[in-house]
Amino acid sequence: MALELLFNAGLVVFFTYAYFFIGATVPKAEGPGWGAEVWPQAILIALIILLGVNMVMVYRGGGKTPEFGFGKLRQISLTSFVQGKLFLGMAALFVYAMSLQAAGFILSTFVFFVVYARIVGQKHTKTLVVSAFVATFTVYFVFSRALGVMLPRGYGILRDFAIFLEGLL
């Protein structure tokens, strides 16, 4: 318990230092909106808060940690892992990340949401397509319109399709 609390305290100190270092070294943004220093600092604040919560939980738990040894690793079946939802979700995320630049954000994200919803058990095709559509365009609006982030459009005809969809919005 003491070692875990010490490690978490060390991370809190490091993240606090990083927060102030970013604030001191990253240039302030010109004009309206948040600058480049805000997002890393927001993540660091969240990490510091969550580490504090973790430290309280460890302290209240009295150091009770589950037993885990290398013997339990031998009981894990590689076949069941590869066929499991966790592995399929990781594979879908990997394919999504690799196809994002070539296929564009809108198409890749829509297909990813459909595939991932199938993996986690969504059976109704109509609900799946509608929810994937809503989620894709919600994420698109947040990043593209609200935050001003340029999202990948894809190559060739996929780029033309993405520009057409952006023109409709």
Side-chain angles (χ1 to χ4, degrees):
M1 176 176 84
L3 186 61
E4 190 171 358
L5 286 173
L6 186 63
F7 180 73
N8 284 330
L11 286 175
V12 167
V13 169
F14 175 72
F15 291 150
T16 304
Y17 167 76
Y19 175 85
F20 288 111
F21 180 79
I22 289 171
T25 59
V26 176
K28 301 295 179 207
E30 300 280 332
W34 291 350
E37 78 280 356
V38 173
W39 299 111
Q41 286 181 322
I43 292 170
L44 288 169
I45 288 173
L47 284 170
I48 291 168
I49 291 169
L50 291 174
L51 279 169
V53 169
N54 187 41
M55 290 172 69
V56 169
M57 290 175 60
V58 167
Y59 183 74
R60 286 186 181 167
K64 298 176 190 171
T65 56
E67 291 286 328
F68 186 78
F70 289 110
K72 292 191 179 188
L73 283 177
R74 292 188 182 137
Q75 296 172 357
I76 298 173
S77 168
L78 183 62
T79 311
S80 64
F81 174 71
V82 170
Q83 293 173 347
K85 290 181 180 181
L86 176 64
F87 180 78
L88 292 175
M90 290 187 312
L93 188 60
F94 178 77
V95 170
Y96 169 68
M98 292 297 114
S99 69
L100 198 56
Q101 192 66 33
F105 177 81
I106 294 174
L107 181 63
S108 295
T109 305
F110 180 78
V111 170
F112 172 73
F113 277 135
V114 168
V115 169
Y116 199 78
R118 280 283 188 195
I119 289 171
V120 297
Q122 178 61 261
K123 300 288 186 214
H124 304 289
T125 305
K126 192 177 201 179
T127 305
L128 191 140
V129 170
V130 169
S131 64
F133 180 81
V134 169
T136 298
F137 283 98
T138 301
V139 172
Y140 172 78
F141 276 119
V142 167
F143 281 98
S144 180
R145 304 289 190 224
L147 299 176
V149 175
M150 289 293 297
L151 298 170
R153 291 181 171 161
Y155 300 126
I157 193 167
L158 297 174
R159 179 178 175 78
D160 297 336
F161 178 69
I163 291 172
F164 169 73
L165 285 178
E166 290 174 5
L168 293 176
L169 305 173

